[in-house]
Amino acid sequence: MSDPRPFSGVDRWRRVARSMRESLPVNKFDSVQRVGRKMPAIHNPVLIGGLGVAAVGAGAAVKYLKPMAASRQDKQLREMLAEKLARVPGLSEVEVETKQAFGKPLLVRTQVSLSEMPVSPTDLLDRTARYLWDGAPKSPVALQVSLSGPGERWTLVDLDFPDEVARPHELFERFGAPASDPTWKP
């Protein structure tokens, strides 16, 4: 059986369009005021160009200055850790990389390489984690520390952390508050 109204779909859309023209409960305006309102616009080409240059400059600053700050932190932490571990025989390389994320603690990844293993690896791993926890310029930090020796590799899992990344609350339980912020609590 066919529909008695030949354009029932069109009628439905007409009702929708009519209801959209009616005043809604929010932002009620007279129809005269609605026509007189204009969208704000910028017509000055110099101002438009200035805004474009400012947007490009802000984008470049965010892109280039943030890695520079991270590389400075990496360098500071690497130098501090190399100084603290300087007496460890067989130390061949110390690598530090920081990762920053909005709303999350700073992640410090560290790789310590040894050409020989004259000390206890868990003791050295524990000392390295403690040095980073206490020496990080921003607190709190999450740590991922790995130690590699001749043919072997140790991570924070070997220190009874749940996984390779130690979160701030886990580090607080083990080492207490960081030296850079003695009042910090998780």
Side-chain angles (χ1 to χ4, degrees):
M1 188 167 182
S2 66
D3 192 3
R5 295 175 289 165
F7 301 107
S8 62
V10 172
D11 288 337
R12 187 176 322 140
W13 288 110
R14 284 184 184 148
R15 279 184 278 148
V16 169
R18 188 178 19 199
S19 69
M20 288 174 67
R21 285 190 302 258
E22 294 175 3
S23 296
L24 297 175
V26 180
N27 295 336
K28 292 184 181 180
F29 296 103
D30 295 336
S31 59
V32 175
Q33 286 180 335
R34 201 177 294 164
V35 174
R37 289 185 308 172
K38 285 187 176 180
M39 187 74 132
I42 300 173
H43 297 291
N44 187 339
V46 174
L47 187 57
I48 293 171
L51 290 172
V53 168
V56 170
V62 167
K63 183 177 180 182
Y64 294 110
L65 292 179
K66 200 170 195 179
M68 288 171 58
S71 67
R72 274 193 305 260
Q73 288 176 356
D74 292 351
K75 183 180 177 189
Q76 288 173 348
L77 284 172
R78 188 179 318 110
E79 288 173 355
M80 180 270 305
L81 198 56
E83 180 183 316
K84 298 272 189 183
L85 299 176
R87 293 186 179 157
V88 174
L91 181 68
S92 61
E93 185 177 12
V94 175
E95 295 177 21
V96 176
E97 178 187 10
T98 57
K99 294 286 185 181
Q100 298 181 10
F102 181 74
K104 294 183 180 178
L106 188 71
L107 173 65
V108 179
R109 290 183 179 157
T110 305
Q111 171 67 36
V112 178
S113 301
L114 297 167
S115 58
E116 57 184 75
M117 190 54 67
V119 296
S120 165
T122 54
D123 179 47
L124 184 58
L125 198 60
D126 186 63
R127 284 191 295 155
T128 304
R130 183 180 302 269
Y131 293 150
L132 289 169
W133 175 246
D134 286 337
K138 293 181 181 177
S139 292
V141 296
L143 297 178
Q144 183 177 8
V145 181
S146 64
L147 177 66
S148 60
E152 293 190 60
R153 184 173 181 268
W154 296 271
T155 63
L156 291 177
V157 174
D158 298 316
L159 292 179
D160 298 327
F161 285 99
D163 59 9
E164 290 187 1
V165 176
R167 275 102 186 140
H169 68 277
E170 298 165 347
L171 292 163
F172 180 81
E173 289 173 6
R174 187 173 186 109
F175 302 130
S180 58
D181 187 6
T183 61
W184 183 82
K185 291 182 181 178

